[in-house]
Amino acid sequence: GERSPVRRFNLNNVTITPDPIANREAVLILTPMARFYQEYWDNLLKLDYPHDLISLGFILPKTREGNAATAALQAQVTKTQKGPLQNRFRSVVIERQDFDPPIISQDEGERHKMENQKVRRASMSRARNSLLFTTLGVDTSWVLWLDADIIETPPSLIQDLAAHDKPLIVPNCYQRYTDPETGKPAERPYDFNNWQDSPTAQEIAARMEPDEIILEGYREMATYRSLMAYMADQEDERDVEVPLDGVGGTALLVKADVHRDGAMFPPFSFYHLIETEGFAKMAKRLGWSATGLPNYKVYHYNE
Ligand code: GDP
Ligand code: MN
């Protein structure tokens, strides 16, 4: 028969459960991308959550580097979406950032300088919000924020995190490197934005001007927060949970209802927090708390 011009969604059928594969729950993977790494794409392809339930969304800056990354990404998307059926994703959206003067490419050292952080993270917030609000669907159950430089995760990342049934959940983001002393492969913590709050950080915040923000991982601003980066313990099980007050966005699984409730990435000082850390605070104010998995590791590219 003729196709109805009205698309109907029965939202009562959209579930958000600890068994998302059995319940055919749609996942939206969102990635802000300044550089394209083949290792990121290869890892994405290896995720064994059914690809026909995964939508991908990307946002890239309009810089020279962003143009190159867009071309490389488009080539891989085309290849995958024309390839074997079981590898193909449900849909792919690629956006270009048309707000903010583009931030010229910064290497790891430069972008981590404290004075560069506020402008950079405000801009990142706008990129994340813009991507989120244009891609979140009525039938999206889960949103996985995954940075473009996360190059290694367990293939079962999505279902493993979802099994915890938490509104916001983050694995521990590490970085592999070669130990210069032993010449042997080693790993070190990378993402310091997953933390539990401290009285010292509260006092720092209380003395700040309204638009000032607290940054984590800087000697100049010792917060004495408890960082999940340092909570990994080989003796413990992989699924040990810790409560968190701040989260990073390198890999972060969110129940879509949290975003639908209005929690986003503040591009301004929100309780002296910004971007993903501000998001955790905003979610908490809406009644959704954050959880971390110190022993469940994902790996960041080493520049
Ligand atoms: P860091 O690892 O915390 O130092 O942050 P990154 O520089 O890796 O940025 C986090 C994520 O945002 C990565 O996926 C980057 O590729 C991406 N990214 C960085 N700068 C921009 C930007 O200006 N626009 C967009 N859309 N993405 C960006
Ligand atoms: Mn990164």
Side-chain angles (χ1 to χ4, degrees):
E2 203 154 304
R3 201 158 153 231
S4 162
V6 178
R7 274 179 87 194
R8 291 173 194 279
F9 296 96
N10 186 348
L11 294 183
N12 293 329
N13 292 341
V14 178
T15 60
I16 308 179
T17 69
D19 194 359
I21 296 181
N23 293 309
R24 301 276 307 155
E25 291 170 5
V27 179
L28 175 62
I29 301 183
L30 296 180
T31 300
M33 179 179 280
R35 294 176 187 170
F36 178 84
Y37 293 114
Q38 188 60 43
E39 296 93 328
Y40 159 88
W41 189 260
D42 294 343
N43 183 69
L44 191 70
L45 283 186
K46 280 192 229 140
L47 292 181
D48 59 16
Y49 197 87
H51 285 200
D52 64 337
L53 292 173
I54 298 180
S55 298
L56 305 177
F58 300 90
I59 187 163
L60 300 93
K62 277 192 178 159
T63 53
R64 256 183 78 131
E65 199 180 37
N67 295 345
T70 305
L73 173 63
Q74 263 162 353
Q76 292 304 316
V77 167
T78 305
K79 192 172 156 200
T80 300
Q81 297 303 82
K82 284 186 178 164
L85 263 181
Q86 83 271 12
N87 284 350
R88 293 186 201 173
F89 294 101
R90 177 176 169 184
S91 65
V92 184
V93 171
I94 301 175
E95 297 175 7
R96 302 302 300 274
Q97 211 168 306
D98 57 4
F99 47 86
D100 292 341
I103 298 175
I104 329 123
S105 167
Q106 296 168 333
D107 64 21
E108 199 176 303
E110 188 64 20
R111 66 177 194 262
H112 288 176
K113 278 186 190 157
M114 213 167 167
E115 63 269 25
N116 289 334
Q117 280 288 308
K118 194 175 168 192
V119 173
R120 213 182 141 263
R121 297 198 59 194
S123 181
M124 283 306 306
S125 298
R126 281 188 283 272
R128 290 187 191 278
N129 291 336
S130 164
L131 180 59
L132 173 66
F133 297 143
T134 51
T135 55
L136 186 66
V138 285
D139 65 342
T140 310
S141 292
W142 302 90
V143 178
L144 175 67
W145 291 94
L146 188 64
D147 275 356
D149 42 23
I150 295 302
I151 52 168
E152 185 187 334
T153 71
S156 50
L157 177 72
I158 295 171
Q159 57 271 35
D160 289 349
L161 296 181
H164 288 263
D165 200 16
K166 300 293 184 192
L168 280 70
I169 192 160
V170 278
N172 217 350
C173 180
Y174 269 57
Q175 185 177 51
R176 295 194 190 279
Y177 71 106
T178 305
D179 187 323
E181 274 171 24
T182 62
K184 292 206 172 113
E187 57 177 46
R188 59 191 169 210
Y190 184 84
D191 193 344
F192 297 110
N193 291 338
N194 301 309
W195 45 257
Q196 298 171 335
D197 212 355
S198 69
T200 308
Q202 290 293 311
E203 282 156 28
I204 295 172
R207 286 196 303 271
M208 280 182 155
E209 297 295 322
D211 66 340
E212 280 184 293
I213 54 167
I214 308 182
L215 296 165
E216 192 48 67
Y218 294 86
R219 220 162 294 215
E220 310 92 292
M221 198 189 276
T223 63
Y224 300 98
R225 287 167 174 158
S226 305
L227 306 185
M228 183 169 80
Y230 300 126
M231 293 178 194
D233 181 346
Q234 302 201 326
E235 304 295 300
D236 280 350
E237 310 229 332
R238 193 181 74 167
D239 289 323
V240 173
E241 300 174 355
V242 297
L244 294 176
D245 298 300
V247 300
T250 48
L252 161 66
L253 186 74
V254 182
K255 288 187 178 179
D257 280 349
V258 176
H259 286 312
R260 276 192 285 263
D261 240 10
M264 46 82 168
F265 301 92
F268 41 80
S269 161
F270 183 75
Y271 291 79
H272 305 286
L273 301 171
I274 200 165
E275 209 211 354
T276 55
E277 296 160 283
F279 164 64
K281 179 76 180 177
M282 202 173 268
K284 186 157 268 181
R285 285 212 52 188
L286 292 163
W288 308 100
S289 58
T291 303
L293 301 179
N295 281 334
Y296 194 106
K297 288 180 185 158
V298 300
Y299 293 90
H300 188 279
Y301 189 82
N302 187 352
E303 289 175 34

